[in-house]
């Protein structure tokens, strides 16, 4: 008490996944689901008490919602929010909902939190079976009501993230669905307990240009809402309760960082051509169409990866064909982009789940992901493909299929695409003429059968995020094994080389769209490997272009040649590190990578 001003500064180290410095207030974002205590009541005498706790939480929840409704009503505007609040109140008063929960407490001797969760789960099962998409989506209202009750059982008020001042989000982890719920313009930075360089939290924060540090282990334990904190996403550091001196230094760092970015934009405007005339196409990786202006401003020639799964997570109902169409037209038709690579839906793994059943998979990274899911849910797949074909009149479209592990999958996907095309032709729907088809090379077996795959497609795009995870057997979001995640592992480099060689022999283009493509530390190696296109986070483009414009193909190939003779990652890293520091001292003298 009274010691507010004197809180001790402390530093936490994690993995910097999105560069930049932010200074602000922390906001502890707790996904309630992860934190709810579940236990059996030790004594039957506690049952009545537990039921009273539940009833009290119901009353408090209703009171809060009525207050919220009053506040929103005072603001005027549309009726929708008020109507939704009424729905939530109705759920909390619903006899079946209340009785079922009380019955759970009585019959199973569980605490109120557990009982609420069971009721919500039961409703979810019923809703999952509903035919109507809209009705099925309404489970979210029941879940919201349930979460509010859980918050009150825990004695917390549920606050909306991102109202008022900008905040730095502190969380155990952030799924794309969590981020989609936030008012991102109010989010200054992210700091999470778990995650690695290529987890989707990392990718999303980079594309939104929000500094982020993940893998901090205990940040949710050690930082409280309203604490002053600094995030240095470039260094992977979080500073809690910074003293005035530290704060001043970081204000300066923040300014320098911004200057450096602006100055790099000079490189962005010019094409990515080496000093001896080798041209590399540069793509932007995007998750939202809102990122297109940033991709163009940072010097992308086209879009090398549009992660369309994000169309699904920003809404509660399944997107319609027209929703898809609108997004694809914005990408393909964007002025300033020469081509657009749209990847079909890649759900699963560390991304979100459309199908609740697969969220219970024991090994989601090896489960019903990406193309596997689409080949199973053909109707859903067709909606997306139809929209892509219809949008192709707007410009140059490249359709890319993720997680292809062998020829059967690409043939099946192409077969479905052909069916959709014929349906559209029968309806005289106009379509672009020169649509290209490609596969992501991200499963090791795809490299092994690349020769066969090359006969089926117009291009390959290497997804190093998954390729590394699968070939080195490292979960890409598990911070315990991040140290093993090594793009310069000889096995990884050999797989990339093999893919490029096979692709070129077959006369097709080979791109790379994993995070490795956007790290300037690897740029000379990738030049030496002769990739035709590098696609990356838009923010990363200027620096990568700078390296390409300052290198020659000849020296890059010479470097690669030496690298390919080495047998360990450590030796390779040391060699590349020395080469990059020597050639580009201003870029690599401090952090090494
Ligand atoms: C990859 O795996 O490298 C890739 C680009 O796809 P994603 O990160 O979306 O899985
Ligand atoms: Mg992938």
């Amino acid at each position: 008490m009274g010691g507010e001003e004197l809180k001790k500064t402390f530093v936490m180290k994690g993995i910097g996944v999105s560069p930049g410095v932010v200074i602000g207030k922390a906001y502890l974002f707790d996904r309630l689901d992860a934190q709810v205590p579940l236990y059996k009541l030790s004594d039957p005498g506690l049952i009545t008490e537990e039921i009273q706790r539940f009833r009290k939480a119901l009353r408090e929840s209703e009171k809060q919602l009525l207050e919220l409704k009053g506040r929103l009503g005072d603001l005027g505007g549309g009726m929708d929010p008020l109507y939704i609040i009424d729905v939530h109140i109705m759920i909390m008063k619903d006899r079946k909902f209340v009785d079922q929960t009380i019955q759970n407490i009585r019959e199973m001797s569980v605490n109120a939190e557990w009982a609420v969760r069971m009721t919500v789960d039961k409703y979810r099962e019923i809703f999952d079976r509903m035919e109507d998409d809209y009705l099925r989506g309404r489970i979210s209202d029941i879940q919201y009501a349930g979460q509010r009750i859980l918050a009150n059982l825990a004695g917390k008020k549920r606050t909306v993230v991102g109202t008022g001042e900008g905040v730095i989000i502190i969380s155990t982890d952030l799924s794309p669905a969590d981020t989609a719920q936030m008012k991102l313009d109010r989010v200054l930075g992210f700091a999470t307990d778990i995650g690695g360089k290529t987890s989707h939290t990392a990718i999303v924060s980079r594309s939104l240009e929000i500094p982020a540090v993940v893998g901090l282990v205990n940040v949710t334990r050690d930082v409280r809402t309203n604490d002053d904190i600094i995030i240095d996403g470039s260094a992977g550091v979080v500073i809690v309760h910074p003293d005035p001196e530290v704060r001043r230094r970081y204000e300066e760092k923040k300014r320098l960082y911004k200057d450096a970015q602006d100055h790099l934009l000079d490189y962005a405007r010019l094409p990515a051509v080496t000093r001896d005339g080798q041209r590399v196409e540069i793509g932007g990786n995007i998750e939202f169409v809102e990122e297109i202006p940033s991709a163009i401003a940072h010097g992308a020639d086209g879009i090398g990866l549009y992660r369309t799964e994000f169309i699904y997570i920003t809404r509660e109902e399944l997107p319609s064909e027209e929703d898809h169409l609108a997004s694809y037209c914005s990408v393909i038709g964007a002025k300033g982009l020469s081509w657009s690579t749209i990847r079909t839906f890649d759900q699963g793994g560390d991304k979100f789940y459309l199908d609740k059943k697969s969220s219970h998979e024991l090994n989601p990274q090896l489960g019903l992901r990406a193309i596997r899911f689409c080949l199973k849910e053909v109707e859903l797949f067709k909606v997306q493909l139809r929209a892509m074909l219809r949008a192709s009149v707007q410009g140059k479209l490249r359709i890319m299929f993720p997680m292809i592990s062998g020829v059967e999958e690409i043939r099946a996907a192409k077969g479905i695409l052909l069916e959709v095309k014929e349906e559209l032709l029968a309806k005289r729907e106009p379509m672009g003429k020169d649509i290209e088809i490609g596969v992501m090379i991200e499963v090791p077996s795809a490299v092994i059968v690349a020769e066969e795959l090359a006969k089926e497609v117009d291009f390959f795009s290497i997804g190093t995020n998954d390729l590394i995870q699968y070939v080195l057997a490292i979960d890409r979001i598990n911070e315990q094994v991040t140290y093993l995640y090594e793009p310069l592992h000889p096995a990884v480099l050999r797989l990339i080389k093999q893919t490029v060689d096979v692709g070129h022999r077959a006369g097709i283009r080979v791109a790379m769209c994993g995070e490795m493509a956007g790290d300037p530390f690897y740029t000379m190696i990738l030049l030496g490997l002769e990739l035709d296109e590098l696609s990356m986070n838009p923010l990363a483009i200027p620096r990568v272009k700078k390296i390409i414009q300052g290198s020659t193909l000849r020296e890059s190939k010479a470097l690669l040649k030496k690298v390919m003779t080495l047998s360990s990652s450590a030796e390779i890293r040391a060699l590349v590190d020395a080469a990059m520091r020597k050639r580009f001292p201003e870029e690599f003298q401090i952090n090494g990578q």
Side-chain angles (χ1 to χ4, degrees):
M1 296 281 271
E4 271 319 279
E5 319 294 335
L6 300 171
K7 282 187 179 151
K8 202 165 157 10
T9 304
F10 65 92
V11 175
M12 303 181 80
K13 291 206 174 137
I15 305 159
V17 292
S18 180
V21 172
V22 276
I23 304 172
K25 294 277 184 201
Y27 180 97
L28 204 59
F29 177 80
D30 52 354
R31 227 191 285 141
L32 287 161
D33 277 358
Q35 307 217 341
V36 175
L38 306 178
Y39 52 85
K40 290 257 181 195
L41 302 175
S42 52
D43 171 356
L46 294 173
I47 286 176
T48 318
E49 217 173 276
E50 208 55 27
I51 294 172
Q52 275 165 3
R53 266 186 77 224
F54 169 59
R55 288 200 184 281
K56 183 161 171 259
L58 276 179
R59 283 194 301 277
E60 276 163 5
S61 302
E62 188 189 345
K63 195 167 138 239
Q64 288 157 6
L65 286 177
L66 286 170
E67 274 169 24
L68 186 63
K69 191 175 160 188
R71 256 185 286 143
L72 286 174
D74 291 345
L75 293 175
M79 291 297 292
D80 270 8
L82 303 185
Y83 162 71
I84 292 168
I85 292 172
D86 282 336
V87 172
H88 295 158
I89 295 175
M90 266 159 56
I91 294 167
M92 289 172 187
K93 292 182 138 181
D94 182 73
R95 278 239 68 79
K96 280 216 181 80
F97 183 91
V98 175
D99 289 352
Q100 177 69 55
T101 308
I102 291 175
Q103 191 184 331
N104 292 343
I105 300 176
R106 275 218 176 92
E107 291 179 1
M108 302 169 91
S109 286
V110 293
N111 68 330
E113 286 89 341
W114 196 339
V116 170
R117 281 269 286 265
M118 282 197 289
T119 307
V120 173
D121 281 352
K122 188 161 182 175
Y123 274 92
R124 199 174 57 195
E125 260 173 45
I126 299 168
F127 276 63
D128 274 353
R129 285 199 295 270
M130 288 182 182
E131 291 284 322
D132 186 284
D133 290 345
Y134 178 79
L135 284 180
R136 207 168 47 238
R138 302 293 20 103
I139 183 64
S140 61
D141 290 319
I142 297 177
Q143 282 168 327
Y144 181 90
Q147 290 207 330
R148 182 169 283 276
I149 299 166
L150 289 175
N152 279 303
L153 282 167
K156 290 181 213 158
K157 276 196 186 172
R158 196 166 161 74
T159 18
V160 180
V161 178
T163 49
E165 283 285 298
V167 287
I168 293 169
I169 301 287
I170 310 294
S171 177
T172 307
D173 182 24
L174 285 166
S175 71
D178 292 330
T179 359
Q181 284 171 24
M182 297 174 185
K183 285 190 179 157
L184 290 165
D185 55 335
R186 303 282 189 194
V187 176
L188 303 175
F190 292 116
T192 63
D193 288 332
I194 63 173
K197 255 194 168 163
T198 55
S199 62
H200 274 76
T201 311
I203 294 170
V204 168
S205 54
R206 272 197 292 275
S207 44
L208 293 165
E209 303 183 16
I210 294 173
V213 180
V214 302
L216 288 153
V217 186
N218 285 326
V219 70
T220 53
R221 190 195 66 189
D222 296 343
V223 176
R224 299 270 71 94
T225 292
N226 238 21
D227 280 353
D228 284 319
I229 101 170
I230 296 174
I231 296 226
D232 182 344
S234 313
V237 161
V238 171
I239 300 155
V240 189
H241 309 311
D243 62 37
E245 177 56 25
V246 171
R247 184 182 268 268
R248 202 187 48 72
R249 271 210 319 274
Y250 270 88
E251 299 276 6
E252 177 66 4
K253 205 167 171 183
K254 188 172 155 188
R255 198 184 56 73
L256 282 176
Y257 180 77
K258 192 169 173 305
D259 282 357
Q261 287 291 102
D262 291 348
H263 138 83
L264 277 170
L265 285 179
D266 292 343
Y267 298 93
R269 282 182 262 280
L270 299 168
V273 182
T274 61
R275 282 164 41 209
D276 51 356
Q278 175 77 3
R279 164 112 202 212
V280 183
E281 292 283 310
I282 300 292
N285 292 356
I286 60 165
E287 279 84 42
F288 305 102
V289 294
E290 289 78 6
E291 294 168 84
I292 295 171
S294 165
I296 296 170
H298 286 90
D301 299 310
I303 295 299
L305 169 63
Y306 175 21
R307 291 184 163 99
T308 59
E309 50 277 13
F310 282 76
I311 298 177
Y312 296 81
I313 62 161
T314 44
R315 64 193 80 224
E316 285 183 359
E317 313 87 49
L318 275 180
S320 65
E321 186 175 321
E322 299 307 308
D323 292 331
H324 282 286
L325 182 67
S327 300
Y328 304 155
C329 285
S330 315
V331 182
I332 303 171
K335 281 203 182 63
L337 295 175
S338 309
W339 37 268
S340 300
T341 316
I342 304 189
R343 179 176 74 180
T344 59
F345 181 44
D346 180 2
Q347 75 123 27
D350 70 323
K351 300 173 197 181
F352 74 108
Y353 297 90
L354 199 63
D355 174 1
K356 294 288 181 302
K357 281 183 255 80
S358 44
S359 65
H360 300 305
E361 287 182 336
L362 216 51
N363 274 314
Q365 304 280 10
L366 305 179
L368 193 64
R369 230 192 111 174
I371 196 69
R372 304 166 182 186
F373 180 87
C374 289
L375 293 178
K376 195 162 163 256
E377 298 291 335
V378 175
E379 285 317 308
L380 189 133
F381 194 32
K382 280 186 166 177
V383 170
Q384 178 172 40
L385 293 175
R386 212 176 292 126
M388 283 190 198
L389 292 176
R390 286 174 61 199
S392 65
V393 284
Q394 302 281 336
K396 172 81 185 162
L397 167 65
R398 295 173 177 165
I399 299 178
M400 179 157 81
F401 298 106
M403 287 279 292
I404 296 290
S405 62
V407 280
E408 296 88 345
E409 280 165 343
I410 182 62
R411 285 183 190 147
K414 279 170 66 185
I416 296 169
L417 182 67
L418 190 66
E419 263 176 55
V420 172
K421 201 169 181 175
E422 278 165 1
E423 280 163 28
L424 289 174
L425 281 173
K427 285 201 235 157
R428 297 186 185 286
E429 189 79 47
M431 275 173 277
K433 297 254 172 314
D434 54 351
I435 300 167
E436 289 183 19
I437 310 287
V439 282
M440 289 202 64
I441 301 290
E442 52 183 349
V443 178
S445 62
V447 182
I448 298 167
V449 299
E451 230 168 86
E452 285 80 0
L453 290 175
K455 292 188 189 125
E456 302 286 338
V457 295
D458 305 302
F459 67 94
F460 286 157
S461 187
I462 304 175
T464 46
N465 304 343
D466 280 314
L467 186 62
I468 297 171
Q469 131 162 299
Y470 294 128
V471 78
L472 300 182
I474 309 157
D475 182 346
R476 69 194 247 190
I477 60 163
N478 182 341
E479 77 285 356
Q480 307 276 4
V481 288
T482 291
Y483 74 100
L484 288 171
Y485 196 92
E486 176 53 276
L488 292 180
H489 191 295
V492 175
L493 294 177
R494 286 175 210 177
L495 289 179
I496 298 172
K497 181 151 181 10
Q498 197 176 327
T499 307
V500 177
D501 290 349
V502 171
H504 285 175
R505 248 185 277 129
I508 65 170
R509 232 165 7 85
V510 184
M512 176 181 284
C513 64
E515 296 299 290
M516 185 181 186
D519 188 334
F521 184 72
Y522 304 121
T523 304
M524 281 184 73
I525 290 295
L526 299 180
L527 276 173
L529 282 161
E530 292 187 84
L531 283 142
D532 303 298
E533 173 195 319
L534 298 177
S535 188
M536 64 202 78
N537 210 286
L539 254 188
I541 296 174
R543 200 161 251 128
V544 168
K545 275 197 170 177
K546 182 179 177 187
I547 306 291
I548 295 175
Q549 289 157 6
S551 315
T552 62
L553 178 62
R554 204 168 358 94
E555 64 177 333
S556 305
K557 282 175 110 172
L559 175 63
L560 181 76
K561 200 167 167 195
K562 273 194 219 149
V563 157
M564 294 309 262
T565 62
L566 300 175
S567 52
S568 80
S569 313
E571 287 168 297
I572 298 176
R573 184 158 285 279
L575 180 68
V576 175
D577 193 43
M580 295 311 278
R581 279 168 194 261
K582 187 154 170 246
R583 284 292 281 106
F584 299 96
E586 72 287 10
E587 292 295 319
F588 299 104
Q589 62 200 4
I590 308 167
N591 286 332
Q593 56 168 300

